[in-house]
Amino acid sequence: MKTFSLIVCMVMSFSMTLMAQNPFKTEGDVIIDFNISPNGKMMVYKERTADGAINIKIKELKTGKVSSLISMKLKWSDMKEIYSGVDFLTNNEIIYVKGENMVSFNLKNKKRRDLAQLPDILVYIKALDNGKGVYFTDNLKLYYSSIKEGRVSEIKEGRVSEINKIGLGVLSMSVDKDDRLLYTIGKQVFCLDKAGNEVEEITSEIAKLVVNPYLIEATGSKNSFIVAGKEGIFKVDISKGQSIKLTDNEKENPVTKIRLTPNGKILYYQRNLDYNKISALEL
């Protein structure tokens, strides 16, 4: 009985902590990007302040403690740095854009290293969980960079060639446990396997289950995804042909970013009008 009471107290304490920080409001005026570490213990986010400063910070998800890593005073001419994203390369290393390069910053020794020289584009970043490579996009093209080789290559397979023609742009990217790249263009979901071949099954099945899907997040399952569409945010299982609504999508304040913890228990998201807020949904 004592053990059961302890477990109940721990669950209640966690839920109360989550609710007390929900939504999490940053000190900056705009959150440019945020991502969760591979071990699910930290969140990295990039914010812009009213006076033009760009800050990259780490939040410990268990305690709520926030630490400042990098602060840059940028001009509007430095658009690549201002609007580029941030992600974890490993649990101890983050990646972001500095000048003309994609760089990493080690959380332990505080050292920075250049990973690759970038094309003259604005960059949205998604790293592989094994830390071996990074996908990024300027909205109109997709690229991949091998960390070991430090070489950037444009992905031309699948629907990417069509993006350049119709100009809709990439709205979200996610990488699943099989290193398949999931991405959205307009109101459709697409997927490329490690060889660059299009996985049409995912595109067609999600289209049957979610109206106008425009954001996607991989889960720990090969057939399960978190998808934001016109009517809400859904957990989708294409093997079962099933979609479960997690929350509504407000017409006047739609969701713009979704990030799932590696254990699949908490979904973090940002809405269009909540410029400096990150909300959490316990699944």
Side-chain angles (χ1 to χ4, degrees), residues 11-24 59 61-62 265-268 278-283:
V11 172
M12 289 179 64
S13 176
F14 173 78
S15 299
M16 290 173 65
T17 301
L18 180 63
M19 292 177 65
Q21 298 175 349
N22 195 10
F24 164 58
K59 180 183 180 183
L61 295 177
K62 185 176 181 179
K265 293 184 177 180
I266 301 178
L267 179 70
Y268 291 94
I278 298 173
S279 298
L281 180 65
E282 192 173 357
L283 305 185

Side-chain angles (χ1 to χ4, degrees), residues 64-99:
K65 179 183 177 182
V66 174
S67 303
S68 182
L69 296 181
I70 299 160
S71 184
M72 302 173 281
K73 195 77 171 180
L74 300 177
K75 302 176 181 178
W76 283 107
S77 57
D78 301 318
M79 291 184 68
K80 186 188 297 186
E81 289 188 53
I82 292 174
Y83 288 105
S84 295
V86 62
D87 197 6
F88 284 92
L89 185 62
T90 67
N91 290 317
N92 297 315
E93 202 169 13
I94 65 166
I95 51 172
Y96 61 102
V97 173
K98 179 64 178 174

Side-chain angles (χ1 to χ4, degrees), residues 68-229:
S68 182
L69 296 181
I70 299 160
S71 184
M72 302 173 281
K73 195 77 171 180
L74 300 177
K75 302 176 181 178
W76 283 107
S77 57
D78 301 318
M79 291 184 68
K80 186 188 297 186
E81 289 188 53
I82 292 174
Y83 288 105
S84 295
V86 62
D87 197 6
F88 284 92
L89 185 62
T90 67
N91 290 317
N92 297 315
E93 202 169 13
I94 65 166
I95 51 172
Y96 61 102
V97 173
K98 179 64 178 174
E100 301 302 314
N101 297 312
M102 182 183 297
V103 303
S104 72
F105 181 84
N106 191 294
L107 304 182
K108 290 188 173 181
N109 62 26
K110 310 301 181 185
K111 291 184 178 180
R112 194 183 82 194
R113 61 177 176 139
D114 292 342
L115 301 179
Q117 187 171 357
L118 298 169
D120 189 20
I121 56 173
L122 304 179
V123 181
Y124 301 85
I125 300 170
K126 188 60 195 172
L128 275 63
D129 282 347
N130 58 20
K132 293 183 178 180
V134 181
Y135 287 103
F136 56 94
T137 177
D138 62 348
N139 271 348
L140 297 180
K141 294 180 182 179
L142 286 172
Y143 299 85
Y144 178 78
S145 177
S146 167
I147 298 302
K148 183 178 181 180
E149 298 174 359
R151 183 177 70 249
V152 174
S153 56
E154 181 181 339
I155 301 172
K156 299 181 182 296
E157 295 87 346
R159 294 284 181 173
V160 180
S161 59
E162 295 184 18
I163 301 174
N164 296 323
K165 295 178 182 178
I166 59 181
L168 287 176
V170 177
L171 294 178
S172 68
M173 294 189 298
S174 185
V175 180
D176 71 4
K177 64 183 184 66
D178 294 322
D179 291 343
R180 297 182 302 180
L181 174 65
L182 303 155
Y183 61 100
T184 54
I185 306 169
K187 298 175 182 178
Q188 282 186 281
V189 170
F190 301 99
C191 177
L192 297 178
D193 64 19
K194 287 193 292 185
N197 302 310
E198 188 171 355
V199 186
E200 295 183 0
E201 178 189 12
I202 290 179
T203 300
S204 59
E205 291 302 312
I206 289 179
K208 296 176 185 177
L209 298 170
V210 180
V211 178
N212 296 340
Y214 65 94
L215 299 176
I216 188 165
E217 185 78 347
T219 70
S221 170
K222 184 175 182 178
N223 297 309
S224 181
F225 312 92
I226 304 297
V227 182

Side-chain angles (χ1 to χ4, degrees), residues 18 22 34 36 43 217-218 226-228 233-235 246-247 255 257-261 263-270 278-283:
L18 180 63
N22 195 10
F34 70 95
I36 311 299
M43 173 190 293
E217 185 78 347
I226 304 297
V227 182
I233 304 177
F234 297 84
K235 185 172 184 180
L246 303 176
T247 186
V255 173
K257 295 183 184 68
I258 53 175
R259 306 286 187 260
L260 185 68
T261 53
N263 62 12
K265 293 184 177 180
I266 301 178
L267 179 70
Y268 291 94
Y269 62 94
Q270 184 181 10
I278 298 173
S279 298
L281 180 65
E282 192 173 357
L283 305 185

